[in-house]
Amino acid sequence: QVQLVESGGGLVQPGGSLRLSCAASGSIASINAVGRYRWYRQAPGKQREFVAAITSGDGTIYTNDVKGRFTISRDNGKNMVYLQMNRLKPEDTAIYYCNAERAEIPVVSYWGQGTQVTVSS
């Protein structure tokens, strides 16, 4: 199995920046079996929503709400995934979760415990 731990959350003013990190750990075989990583977020009283994804080939996709402001990246050597967030808005306030999906059968989805991001003046 793969364990995911998010970090880098905190309090930031509107227009500020924050960089989230997701550290993956586990067996080499399990980590290598991950096909793509995703970032999700969930605000109080709202459903969890997709934010960004990155494939093993470094292809990326973003939700329209963050496109142009957020950048997802990965460092395979360190087994790390990042989410650079710029020009933050109060609407970005949420718990951000890292997700990893196994590319092989059976498909397994892994989740971290989340990191809180609060955008407020």
Side-chain angles (χ1 to χ4, degrees), residues 11-27:
L11 176 64
V12 64
Q13 297 182 13
S17 298
L18 212 57
R19 191 193 194 196
L20 305 184
S21 298
C22 174
S25 62
S27 69

Side-chain angles (χ1 to χ4, degrees), residues 5-102:
V5 179
E6 303 95 335
S7 63
L11 176 64
V12 64
Q13 297 182 13
S17 298
L18 212 57
R19 191 193 194 196
L20 305 184
S21 298
C22 174
S25 62
S27 69
I28 296 177
S30 295
I31 293 177
N32 287 342
V34 173
R36 55 192 170 189
Y37 289 89
R38 299 184 180 96
W39 284 97
Y40 287 80
R41 65 185 181 186
Q42 186 170 24
K46 297 184 178 180
Q47 297 181 7
R48 183 175 298 184
E49 65 175 349
F50 167 80
V51 176
I54 186 167
T55 68
S56 59
D58 291 337
T60 60
I61 188 169
Y62 303 89
T63 185
N64 288 335
D65 291 340
V66 308
K67 195 169 186 178
R69 299 188 297 119
F70 291 9
T71 302
I72 186 172
S73 62
R74 65 189 299 176
D75 186 333
N76 293 330
K78 297 181 179 180
N79 295 326
M80 297 285 290
V81 182
Y82 306 97
L83 184 67
Q84 178 66 47
M85 306 184 294
N86 299 323
R87 292 182 285 131
L88 284 162
K89 305 174 181 179
E91 305 92 272
D92 296 319
T93 296
I95 299 176
Y96 284 72
Y97 297 91
C98 182
N99 164 260
E101 185 174 276
R102 178 181 167 95

